[in-house]
Amino acid sequence: MIRLRRVALPQETATRLEEYTEEIAGQATEEARKAKADALWSSRRGVRPALLDALTEMAPGHERCMYCGDSQGTDIDHFDPKSRTPLRTFDWFNHLLACSYCNSNQKRSLFPTDGDGSPLLVDPTLRDPLDHLRLVLPLGRYRARTPQGQACIDVFGLNSRPVLVKGRVDAYATARHSWSCGASPRTRGSSTRPGRSSRSPGTVRSSTCSSRCSTSPSIRRPGRSSRVRRTFWRSCAIRNSGGLPGTVVKPSATRRKSA
């Protein structure tokens, strides 16, 4: 659930969606509109391929779910459920790519709203999830910054699904280990210092790490500026969640200044 940019549909597909919407709007009652919307959506073969192509182009990573960011997105989800607003069944701005688990087991027809009727769930094409969610990297869990963030955590099961939490923790450990294995920009190409092996300019340590290259929180990162550190922690947030960034809470040991 990172911030996404909605792409434009082919004109032919956009025209077909408008025609379907007009058919639904022509029904006399709300119940009739819901029935018509269900019938048309069940036989949407003419527009489904184009919708999926556009959604996969927008999706984070390799066609990841726009809600959990972990599984492959396979379903076209109605952000505002068609059972609630049948007139938005074929509204392109109401379509998001979801994995089958988020679509069928988590979100379903849930659509919490506040006292004014405004949606609490975050549409990543309209709002930045970073404003509503904070990722605690070592724990692999999210903390809500707003009621909207809490609604996302509850509805999509971002903290209650062990596979999502474990995936973030594992990715964090991998990213942190890779960081600790990298060569310092200040020492690349410099003369060999006592106790250090010689390296060619621009090279990094071998992937086979020595005993001094561990993932312990006490490791210091010489030569890294504050700006680079911030960039690293932000990239960790994106990797750990399959593309869901958050304000990162770092372990206290990693806040020490480099020696």
Side-chain angles (χ1 to χ4, degrees), residues 139-177:
L139 303 180
R141 299 175 66 85
Y142 282 98
R143 291 179 183 171
R145 303 180 67 184
T146 64
Q148 289 83 357
Q150 188 60 53
C152 290
I153 291 173
D154 295 339
V155 171
F156 303 131
L158 298 180
N159 289 339
S160 61
R161 295 158 64 181
V163 66
L164 298 182
V165 176
K166 185 177 186 300
R168 296 177 200 129
V169 171
D170 290 349
Y172 166 69
T174 300
R176 187 174 180 184
H177 184 67

Side-chain angles (χ1 to χ4, degrees), residues 194-246:
R196 297 191 178 185
S197 61
S198 175
R199 287 200 301 256
S200 299
T203 60
V204 296
R205 292 191 182 98
S206 169
S207 57
T208 304
C209 301
S210 63
S211 59
R212 65 182 293 176
C213 179
S214 69
T215 55
S216 168
S218 63
I219 285 183
R220 299 189 178 191
R221 301 171 174 79
R224 300 290 184 178
S225 68
S226 297
R227 183 170 62 84
V228 174
R229 286 197 188 94
R230 286 196 299 270
T231 301
F232 167 73
W233 289 112
R234 183 176 176 83
S235 67
C236 278
I238 296 174
R239 290 183 58 183
N240 292 346
S241 60
L244 189 90

Side-chain angles (χ1 to χ4, degrees), residues 16 20 26 32 74 77 88 92 173 175 225:
R16 185 77 64 86
Y20 286 153
T74 56
D77 179 64
R88 297 200 68 192
W92 168 233
S225 68

Side-chain angles (χ1 to χ4, degrees), residues 75 99-108:
D75 298 358
C99 64
S100 58
Y101 193 90
C102 280
N103 190 30
S104 302
N105 297 77
Q106 290 292 147
K107 184 174 181 286
R108 306 187 302 279

